[in-house]
Each structure stands twice: as C-alpha cells, then as structure tokens.
Amino acid sequence: MENPFNKIKTTIIFFIIYFFGVILVNKLIPGDICNPGGGFFMALLLIPITIILIFFRIVKYYREH
C-alpha cells in the first residue's frame, strides 16, 4: 500500500515550484497597474489548477476504496 504522505509531499513540492515560477515569470515579464505581468496570469491559473488537482485526487481516492 502506498504511503499517503507521498501524495501530500508531491503536492506541496508542486505548489512550491509553481510559486517560485510565478515569482520568476513576474520578474521576467513585469507589469504595471494597467497591464498585469505574466506572474499575475500564472497566479490566476493557480485556482483552476488547484480545483482540477483536487477533483482528480477525489476521483482517484474513491476508485481505490
């Protein structure tokens, strides 16, 4: 049986890497008040990515149990 901490660990690592990616893209493609930069759009994409990840984890959990 798989250790449940591995799933949590990989999710946390993904969000940490994504957060640093947002900071990096925000530095590479800066924005101003009228034109948001690339980091802003990556931060907005984090919401649907999180919802999709939660959905897949729930479906996978119920298929295993």
Side-chain angles (χ1 to χ4, degrees), residues 15 18-19 21-23 25-26 36-50:
F15 282 115
Y18 194 87
F19 178 71
V22 168
I23 292 172
V25 169
N26 197 30
F40 175 75
F41 292 116
M42 283 185 69
L44 283 180
L45 281 176
L46 190 61
I47 297 169
I49 288 172
T50 304

Side-chain angles (χ1 to χ4, degrees), residues 3-4 7 10 16-17 24 27-28 31-33 41 49 61:
N3 186 2
K7 293 179 184 179
T10 55
I16 290 172
I17 291 171
L24 178 68
K27 295 290 182 184
L28 293 174
D32 56 4
I33 294 175
F41 292 116
I49 288 172
Y61 175 78

Side-chain angles (χ1 to χ4, degrees), residues 4-6 28 34-36 46 65:
F5 183 69
N6 288 338
L28 293 174
C34 295
N35 299 318
L46 190 61
H65 291 97

